[in-house]
Amino acid sequence: MNHYILGIESSCDDTSAAVIKDNVVLSNIIANQKIHKDYGGVVPELASRAHQQNIIPVIDQAISKANINKNDIHAVAFTRGPGLLGSLLVGTSFAKSFALSMNIPMVEIDHLEAHILAHFIQNQDKNLKTPSFPFLCLTVSGGHTQIVKVSDYFEMEIIGQTIDDAAGEAFDKVAKIMGLPYPGGPVIDKMARQGDEWAFSFPKPSLPGFDYSFSGLKTSVLYFLRDKLKEDEGFIEKNKINLSASVQRTIIEILMDKLVKASQETGIREIAIAGGVSANSGLRDAVEKLRQGENWNIYLPKLEYSTDNAAMIAIAGYYKFINEEYADQDITPYSRSSALK
Ligand code: KG4
Ligand code: ZN
């Protein structure tokens, strides 16, 4: 028998709903919240209000695009955390009422596990290559940067992570310093493609083990530009393409150095990347290049499953649902702690 799972994602500034038939996605609707652009970052109160406005239409659309009836749904999966509490509450509350009124189970999902499990989404022909356990996943998003050893669907161990800013935050903060719109990651990515990545060099941190640090890079870009602007106030405008390419190269080098080290030390050559920054074209190229040199099997998520989406919540939900791991009605969201240790 096929199982239909409705997935709901509302942890940050995207309201998303998806329907999955076992491990095949039938619909994945995402409403981006444009409102935050004017503020240069996500405003939590505005985000939760926008989720409230978006959630019903987004779910309606996901169900109708999947060409099913809401009575066909076997379970509802929702993001429990980490994320913005006010935003998470909207998805969690909806999931509770939906489960109660339809008399179906609900399944709680950790956002970071879901980014990783997006690699198990199949297409209609079921011929997508999926990672074998154990694999290493570099999860790079706006709030997290982690190297995770994935031994099974829900058996994951963080072996390295950032001690300060996340990689996505580094992109976004540097973009802000350069006066580029939020979120800066995709903007820098686009400009970097035309620039000289060796035009400028910035220091890289040296941390033990597989941990990361990105706050130093942001500060060195800030001081570098402050000095340059004293000499020429048009410096950023004239150099934004090369600045983007050089900053992006530095972030990617920092990310890849530790990923290679982790692969060499664990002996694991099944390598995946996940999270919003995994949409970055330079990062994808870098992983592709290392595939040959390091003899890796690589897994790059489709762009629509890199940044926040509900299909990844639904696939994670499917694997919990078949294990009958249901959540109770009194469940509450969490903002920080994650299922990942
Ligand atoms: O996973 P995600 O959608 O949300 C979180 O869970 O945080 O990641 C959002 C982050 C933002 O920092 C955004 O700038 C970054 O992913 N991002 C990118 C690209 N697309 C999104 N960074 C670099 N290049 C991109 N193409
Ligand atoms: Zn995310």
Side-chain angles (χ1 to χ4, degrees), residues 111 115 141-143 168-169 171-172 183-186 189 275-277 279-280 306-308:
H111 184 85
H115 268 302
S141 71
E169 228 173 328
F171 273 106
D172 297 341
D189 185 357
V277 181
N280 184 271
S306 298
T307 45
D308 287 350

Side-chain angles (χ1 to χ4, degrees), residues 256-267:
M256 291 302 100
D257 285 353
K258 291 293 168 91
L259 188 60
V260 168
K261 190 173 171 203
S263 165
Q264 288 173 349
E265 288 189 22
T266 58

Side-chain angles (χ1 to χ4, degrees), residues 57 68 113 126 169 173 182 184 196 201 204 210 216 232 246 273-275 280 285 329 332 336 341:
I68 60 161
E113 286 188 337
K126 303 221 172 193
E169 228 173 328
K173 285 182 176 170
Y182 177 86
D196 171 8
S201 62
K204 293 193 283 177
F210 310 131
D232 173 8
S246 304
I273 57 172
N280 184 271
D285 289 348
Q329 273 289 331
T332 50
R336 283 192 179 277
K341 295 279 177 321

Side-chain angles (χ1 to χ4, degrees), residues 9 11-12 111-112 115 140-144 275-276 306-309 312:
E9 156 61 34
S11 65
C12 192
H111 184 85
L112 294 164
H115 268 302
V140 267
S141 71
H144 296 84
S306 298
T307 45
D308 287 350
N309 67 88
M312 67 185 195

